[in-house]
């Protein structure tokens, strides 16, 4: 009888030993429990291995508050951010579309804070009104990256880095192109972007300041078209019917969508855009290049929307404890005539 007990004991010990070594303690829980001698008390529950050192790279969770879908440029930026995140297994993107409303962006940021994301990124629809919510992010020790638009300079301490263009330079380049197209004289209409948006404020500043060097060019009317094609067209239609509309030689639009709307309005008024009235715009969407090829638009100043790769690289650098430059600037070009036509086949947005 005693002999049978010993055999049974040995069999049980062997079974316990085999189960521990083959990790039956849960499919994914790597264990480091070591088998105990047969006469030891019940083996203690398997403790998860200390995997800190070889921890598979955990996902970096980025909350992005997008303005909306007001323009072709905005759509291209959203596509770039979503495609880049989808292609990168170390990134988890939480994406929110604010439909052009600041209060929706503020709500989204508060939600990201509550979810304890690793990084908050946002394209601020306007420059002001962010102090309280960005202070909450700072208190929660969540870094904030601004993408494609900036906020009030007085709140510079509330974000880590701005990834985007030099809008003042874009405005200056637009003015130089306009002066060339007009032979340095004439009356210009300015279609401004969204009121209060840094891209609109600085594209206006760059253009208007540069135009001071061309005293024979007058900006006879400057009005917001809110960065959309529909509003750009409506504003241009109204201006063409106004006294200023009788003698216009140029239109400067803060983005291509408003320029394309203005082109429609000019054609419907029986004039030739690109010939009777020179058109200069900013962004560089494919349709703008096609309009140059068709002779309806004269110069487009590029503004790069493909910011996904830079955004997620910046998030990774932050998580790795690296310093980020306060401004990660986009490099951009100016296109007109044959240069634009040659570039058209390779345009990515
Ligand atoms: C520029 C971006 C602007 C684009 C517009 O960085 O904020 O907003 O120029 C878009 O097309 O609506």
């Amino acid at each position: 009888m005693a002999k049978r007990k010993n055999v049974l004991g040995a069999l049980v010990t062997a079974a316990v030993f085999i189960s521990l070594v083959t990790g039956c303690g849960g499919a994914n829980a790597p264990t480091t429990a070591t088998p105990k001698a047969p006469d030891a008390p019940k083996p203690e529950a398997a403790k998860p291995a200390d995997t800190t050192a070889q921890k598979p790279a955990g996902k970096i969770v980025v909350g992005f508050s997008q303005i909306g879908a007001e323009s072709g440029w905005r759509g291209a930026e959203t596509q770039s951010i979503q495609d880049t995140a989808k292609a990168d297994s170390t990134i988890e993107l939480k994406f929110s579309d604010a439909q052009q409303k600041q209060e929706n962006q503020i709500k989204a940021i508060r939600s990201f804070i509550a979810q304890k994301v690793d990084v908050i990124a946002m394209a601020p629809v306007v420059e002001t009104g962010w102090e309280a919510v960005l202070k909450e992010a700072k208190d929660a020790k969540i870094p904030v990256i601004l993408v494609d638009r900036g906020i009030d300079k007085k709140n510079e301490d509330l974000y880590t880095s701005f990834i985007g263009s030099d809008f003042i330079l874009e405005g200056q380049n637009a003015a130089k192109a306009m002066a060339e197209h007009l032979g340095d004289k004439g009356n210009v209409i300015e279609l401004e972007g969204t009121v209060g948006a840094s891209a609109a404020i600085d594209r206006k500043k760059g253009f208007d300041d540069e135009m001071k060097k061309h005293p024979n060019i007058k900006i006879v009317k400057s009005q917001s078209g809110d960065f959309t094609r529909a509003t750009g067209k409506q504003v241009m239609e109204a201006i063409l019917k106004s006294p200023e509309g009788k003698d216009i030689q140029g239109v400067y639009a803060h983005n291509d969508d408003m320029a394309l709307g203005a082109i429609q309005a000019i054609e419907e008024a029986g004039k030739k855009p690109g010939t009777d009235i020179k058109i200069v715009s900013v962004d560089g969407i494919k349709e703008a290049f096609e309009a140059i090829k068709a002779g309806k638009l004269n110069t487009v100043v590029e503004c790069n929307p493909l910011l996904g790769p830079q955004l997620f690289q910046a998030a990774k650098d932050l998580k790795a404890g690296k310093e980020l430059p306060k401004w990660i600037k986009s490099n951009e070009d100016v296109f007109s005539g044959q240069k634009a036509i040659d570039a058209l086949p390779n345009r990515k947005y």
Side-chain angles (χ1 to χ4, degrees), residues 237-294:
E237 281 166 346
I239 290 171
L240 287 165
K241 290 177 187 140
S242 72
E244 293 89 354
K246 303 292 169 263
D247 183 20
I248 297 173
Q249 283 73 43
V251 172
Y252 163 51
H254 289 185
N255 83 330
D256 295 340
D257 289 72
M258 293 190 294
L260 293 165
I263 285 169
Q264 268 182 294
I266 291 166
E267 288 179 316
E268 287 169 10
K271 296 194 174 185
K272 280 202 191 120
T275 308
D276 301 335
I277 297 178
K278 305 296 185 188
I279 319 269
V280 173
S281 72
V282 188
D283 273 355
I285 63 172
K286 208 168 266 180
E287 254 188 285
F289 281 76
E290 285 157 356
I292 290 178
K293 189 172 179 182

Side-chain angles (χ1 to χ4, degrees), residues 175-186:
K176 288 172 184 164
M178 181 63 84
E180 211 172 303
H181 291 308
L182 296 185
D184 220 14
K185 65 182 180 309

Side-chain angles (χ1 to χ4, degrees), residues 70-71 73-74 148-149 167 199 203 227 254-255 257 283 303:
E70 76 281 1
S71 65
W73 189 97
R74 185 69 49 200
D148 99 66
R149 287 190 190 171
F167 304 125
R203 283 174 186 164
F227 280 135
H254 289 185
N255 83 330
D257 289 72
D283 273 355
C303 174

Side-chain angles (χ1 to χ4, degrees), residues 46-329:
K47 282 197 290 301
D50 170 9
T51 58
T52 327
Q54 66 270 35
K55 179 179 168 190
K59 287 195 181 263
I60 298 172
V61 183
V62 177
F64 181 72
S65 167
Q66 177 58 293
I67 293 175
E70 76 281 1
S71 65
W73 189 97
R74 185 69 49 200
E77 183 188 61
T78 292
Q79 197 69 53
S80 170
I81 287 171
Q82 291 178 335
D83 290 353
T84 306
K86 210 182 303 171
D88 185 336
S89 60
T90 67
I91 293 286
E92 180 186 329
L93 172 64
K94 292 181 184 295
F95 182 92
S96 154
D97 177 332
Q99 275 123 38
Q100 310 316 115
K101 293 186 174 65
Q102 180 173 34
E103 64 264 26
N104 290 344
Q105 289 200 282
I106 291 170
K107 270 188 217 137
I109 293 165
R110 288 201 165 110
S111 162
F112 296 147
I113 293 169
Q115 297 175 71
K116 296 186 170 51
V117 299
D118 294 304
V119 176
I120 290 172
M122 61 184 271
V125 61
V126 292
E127 285 191 338
T128 56
W130 303 104
E131 205 153 349
V133 73
L134 293 187
K135 277 206 174 98
E136 291 166 31
K138 189 168 187 172
D139 294 345
K141 296 188 177 24
I142 301 176
V144 173
I145 296 175
L146 301 185
V147 177
D148 99 66
R149 287 190 190 171
I151 62 173
D152 254 347
K153 298 256 176 298
K154 68 177 170 55
N155 291 328
E156 273 198 337
D157 63 313
L158 295 179
Y159 68 88
T160 304
S161 187
F162 165 62
I163 301 174
S165 306
D166 182 341
F167 304 125
I168 291 179
L169 178 63
E170 290 171 346
Q172 291 165 339
N173 286 334
K176 288 172 184 164
M178 181 63 84
E180 211 172 303
H181 291 308
L182 296 185
D184 220 14
K185 65 182 180 309
N187 295 326
V188 169
I189 299 294
E190 185 171 352
L191 297 176
E192 300 176 15
T194 301
V195 176
S198 64
I201 292 166
D202 286 349
R203 283 174 186 164
K204 177 170 184 63
K205 175 171 174 45
F207 184 86
D208 295 8
D209 289 353
E210 185 65 26
M211 269 313 170
K212 288 174 184 149
K213 299 173 188 170
H214 303 271
N216 295 324
I217 296 177
K218 300 264 178 294
I219 301 169
V220 294
K221 182 100 178 156
S222 189
Q223 189 175 338
S224 174
D226 204 19
F227 280 135
T228 70
R229 196 169 307 204
T231 314
K233 183 179 183 219
Q234 282 157 14
V235 169
M236 195 65 214
E237 281 166 346
I239 290 171
L240 287 165
K241 290 177 187 140
S242 72
E244 293 89 354
K246 303 292 169 263
D247 183 20
I248 297 173
Q249 283 73 43
V251 172
Y252 163 51
H254 289 185
N255 83 330
D256 295 340
D257 289 72
M258 293 190 294
L260 293 165
I263 285 169
Q264 268 182 294
I266 291 166
E267 288 179 316
E268 287 169 10
K271 296 194 174 185
K272 280 202 191 120
T275 308
D276 301 335
I277 297 178
K278 305 296 185 188
I279 319 269
V280 173
S281 72
V282 188
D283 273 355
I285 63 172
K286 208 168 266 180
E287 254 188 285
F289 281 76
E290 285 157 356
I292 290 178
K293 189 172 179 182
K296 298 181 179 179
L297 194 147
N298 301 91
T299 288
V300 66
V301 176
E302 187 182 34
C303 174
N304 181 10
L306 308 180
L307 302 176
Q310 283 175 302
L311 169 58
F312 294 115
Q313 186 54 55
K316 289 179 184 177
D317 289 347
L318 277 180
K319 283 304 283 176
K322 291 182 187 162
E323 281 283 306
L324 288 186
K326 197 69 182 174
W327 183 359
I328 300 171
K329 207 183 270 189

